[in-house]
Amino acid sequence: MQRFLNNPDDLVDETVAGFVKAHRDLVHLLPENPRVVVSNVAPKAGRVGIVTGGGSGHEPAFIGYTGRNMVDAVAVGEVFSSPTAKSFADAVRAANGGAGVAVLYGNYAGDNMNVKMAARTVAKEGIEVATVVANDDVCSAPLAEREKRRGVAGEIFMWKIGGAKAATGASLAEVQAAAQKAIDACRSVGVGLGPCTLPAVGHPNFSIAPGTMEVGIGHHGEPGARVEPLRTANDVADDMLKIVMDDHALPAGTEVAVLVSGLGATPVNELYVLYDRIESGLAGMGMKVHRALVGNYFTSLEMVGATLTVMALDDELKALLDMDCASPAL
Amino acid sequence: MTSIPNAGQAAIIEDIAAAIVANKAWLSEIDGKIGDGDHGSNMAKGFGRAAERIHGRDITLDGAMLILSEILMDEIGGSMGPLYGLMFEDMAGAIAGLAEIDAETFSRMLNAGLQGVQGVGNAQVGDKTLIDTLVPAVQAFDAARSEGFGPALRAMMTAAEQGRDSTIDLVARIGRSSRLGERSRGVLDAGATSCCLILTSLGTSVLQRLP
């Protein structure tokens, strides 16, 4: 695979540098820490701050969701590697408007450790931190062990809901509860058709044999539930929807938000092919799609594949989802 | 009692860094089998930077460990940043202010480092992590302490290697490779391997400095 690269070691810094140039109307870099992207309207005095962070290589996640009524500050890690505790702490400081900060992130060992350490650091400075850990990836652990599941594209809904709730002037506990409710209402699944390569490593970090697909694959190529022959788009869409909805067990008539994200190297038109079938499938189950997002919202370098996220909505989530926001990716 | 001075020991940490940098490709290769394949490059980046910053400086062992710790925690991140960062921070804390480091204070240092790792991570022996190297190595040092500093260091190094090799037959139960289940069996754990490099380099350097 041919790539646009200078020195692979500089990839993250160059990504972030280009990102803040392209979106200078919305975001900037924290002067004292170039691994923290901050919304131009943060911090807001008296409002709860929203922070996230994660490894690079998932663009537009995580940095792309920084902005008005969204995430206030994002800690940026190396490719597929957690940001430092220092960057998480600096992001919290940058987002702190005096009403506490909600750190909304994905369930990965490194992020758990670094967020924990950052929370300890800023607590000493008097900043109150609440955390919500996303665990929407159905195939990464059984439902009974949901706390072990990874966080994937459902994080976008969690950030949207958390950011909107903070914008209403809600307390830290209320923002945390809304973000928790959002991720609890999300179920996701990924299907991989081709692997990805960490530029600094130079060869694919897992393999998917030609003619096969990995159902349930994670955002870093973590193995899924099963490897099987690649089927038609409609069959794959049906399978993804079944995995998500079997885990969800929603009553007919439920309103849902749907996110179909490419993993980096899947043409966007194929995502719409999947979505066409998914929405028909949802309708067949009696679900009403309130909002759909289709595109490259949360990628994994140049992995070929897609994720499906379905969030069940109630009146509160619907109103928060519909609130106006402005970030580079949403 | 046999001991080494605490002062002027930057080279011990430089040696550890050199061992990590020299094994960068190997560590990445091991990691690539059940992980991202970036363990070698991330570790080499952190330890290499530390070596540059302490090179030629007249500092104590704990001073050098603190510089390494800060770089790992503030500049590297991932899982290894906090784990090794806290290990070296707590090791440094245990020997700070000491003029000499003997078997007893070295033991305190090792145990503090172990507690630092366990305080932030949740791994137990058998989970296929660096804990599988660190726990038996610390235990072996303590068990052999009555025989003297030198024999205890050698026991530590032997146990570290055995601990590293024990991870081959283990199924990962924590961290990213745990998602692989049975597919993680049959290969070394990258963290256990880098931990063994750290402990064997540390042991070798201290042995060379014993009177």
Side-chain angles (χ1 to χ4, degrees):
Chain A
M1 175 124 187
Q2 303 189 87
R3 324 273 298 242
F4 293 116
L5 279 176
N6 299 308
N7 181 343
D9 286 341
D10 298 332
L11 174 63
V12 173
D13 291 323
E14 291 169 350
T15 303
V16 174
F19 177 80
V20 295
K21 278 179 188 165
H23 304 291
R24 57 166 60 89
D25 54 325
L26 293 166
V27 299
H28 62 276
L29 275 186
L30 196 63
E32 63 270 27
N33 185 342
R35 289 298 178 92
V36 178
V37 172
V38 187
S39 161
N40 288 349
V41 294
K44 274 198 172 148
R47 292 278 164 84
V48 171
I50 304 290
V51 162
T52 190
S56 294
H58 300 297
E59 290 72 19
F62 297 72
I63 49 179
Y65 299 93
T66 319
R68 184 171 53 80
N69 295 352
M70 281 292 288
V71 177
D72 291 303
V74 176
V76 180
E78 294 293 323
V79 177
F80 288 5
S81 183
S82 171
T84 62
K86 181 178 191 297
S87 293
F88 272 116
D90 284 343
V92 168
R93 292 180 186 113
N96 177 35
V101 175
V103 183
L104 315 177
Y105 67 101
N107 190 20
Y108 296 92
D111 295 313
N112 282 322
M113 281 188 270
N114 286 298
V115 169
K116 192 163 136 190
M117 288 167 64
R120 218 156 48 192
T121 303
V122 299
K124 290 177 200 154
E125 301 162 20
I127 305 176
E128 201 185 342
V129 167
T131 58
V132 178
V133 185
N135 50 5
D136 52 307
D137 194 355
V138 170
C139 291
S140 55
L143 185 57
E145 297 172 65
R146 209 176 147 227
E147 76 285 352
K148 288 187 182 168
R149 287 181 175 176
R150 300 180 289 257
V152 283
E155 289 180 49
I156 294 167
F157 287 136
M158 173 178 72
W159 301 325
K160 176 71 185 79
I161 298 300
K165 188 72 183 180
T168 67
S171 70
L172 180 58
E174 289 165 342
V175 171
Q176 182 188 31
Q180 185 69 57
K181 182 164 136 185
I183 202 66
D184 286 347
C186 283
R187 296 290 187 279
S188 299
V189 65
V191 170
L193 310 185
C196 56
T197 298
L198 272 74
V201 175
H203 54 81
N205 64 347
F206 61 101
S207 60
I208 296 175
T212 68
M213 62 179 175
E214 185 137 0
V215 179
I217 199 164
H219 264 171
H220 312 91
E222 295 96 334
R226 54 185 195 265
V227 176
E228 56 189 41
L230 177 60
R231 288 175 282 145
T232 63
N234 283 352
D235 284 350
V236 175
D238 289 348
D239 196 17
M240 292 172 88
L241 189 59
K242 183 174 178 355
I243 288 169
V244 162
M245 298 307 281
D246 280 357
D247 201 79
H248 235 334
L250 300 175
T254 304
E255 289 189 272
V256 296
V258 184
L259 165 61
V260 175
S261 178
L263 286 172
T266 289
V268 172
N269 62 346
E270 293 176 20
L271 302 177
Y272 285 110
V273 172
L274 291 175
Y275 182 73
D276 178 35
R277 182 73 172 190
I278 287 164
E279 192 181 299
S280 301
L282 283 165
M285 296 172 188
M287 305 294 150
K288 289 184 212 155
V289 176
H290 174 71
R291 184 151 176 208
L293 300 172
V294 180
N296 287 315
Y297 285 91
F298 203 135
T299 65
S300 300
L301 295 169
E302 85 287 23
M303 203 191 296
V304 185
T307 61
L308 166 65
T309 301
V310 176
M311 177 166 70
L313 299 173
D314 62 9
D315 288 343
E316 183 195 20
L317 292 177
K318 214 165 104 177
L320 293 171
L321 186 64
D322 288 344
M323 184 187 281
D324 173 54
C325 71
S327 67
L330 193 70
Chain B
M1 197 168 184
T2 331
S3 64
I4 62 160
N6 189 9
Q9 298 291 17
I12 292 180
I13 298 301
E14 284 187 70
D15 287 348
I16 293 175
I20 294 291
V21 171
N23 287 284
K24 174 182 168 177
W26 184 48
L27 289 173
S28 280
E29 188 194 322
I30 297 167
D31 186 38
K33 290 178 181 165
I34 55 171
D36 283 346
D38 60 355
H39 187 63
S41 51
N42 284 344
M43 289 285 287
K45 197 185 272 182
F47 282 72
R49 272 187 207 169
E52 282 170 28
R53 275 179 226 175
I54 61 181
H55 181 69
R57 287 174 62 181
D58 183 15
I59 46 177
T60 58
L61 182 57
D62 61 281
M65 283 178 167
L66 271 188
I67 292 170
L68 172 60
S69 162
E70 271 176 29
I71 291 169
L72 293 174
M73 288 200 284
D74 293 353
E75 300 177 32
I76 300 304
S79 300
M80 286 304 151
L83 288 169
Y84 282 135
L86 285 174
M87 182 177 91
F88 282 109
E89 183 179 278
D90 290 354
M91 281 182 167
I95 56 168
L98 296 178
E100 292 282 322
I101 298 163
D102 61 15
E104 193 193 327
T105 43
F106 194 87
S107 163
R108 239 181 279 155
M109 181 192 86
L110 287 177
N111 281 284
L114 174 59
Q115 282 163 20
V117 172
Q118 287 175 328
V120 69
N122 302 313
Q124 305 296 320
V125 169
D127 287 347
K128 199 175 180 110
T129 70
L130 69 91
I131 285 291
D132 290 304
T133 298
L134 190 54
V135 166
V138 174
Q139 284 171 349
F141 184 91
D142 285 343
R145 229 172 74 198
S146 56
E147 297 164 36
F149 200 175
L153 286 167
R154 284 189 202 94
M156 174 191 82
M157 290 155 68
T158 304
E161 284 168 10
Q162 288 167 349
R164 173 198 65 196
D165 293 342
S166 77
T167 62
I168 294 178
D169 289 331
L170 293 173
V171 172
R173 287 203 291 250
I174 202 163
R176 193 161 293 165
S177 55
S178 68
R179 327 283 193 190
L180 286 157
E182 275 297 324
R183 284 154 77 179
S184 65
R185 201 191 291 279
V187 292
L188 283 170
D189 175 66
T193 306
S194 60
C195 187
C196 183
L197 286 169
I198 290 167
L199 292 175
T200 45
S201 172
L202 176 66
T204 306
S205 296
V206 175
L207 273 175
Q208 285 166 354
R209 287 162 174 78
L210 286 181

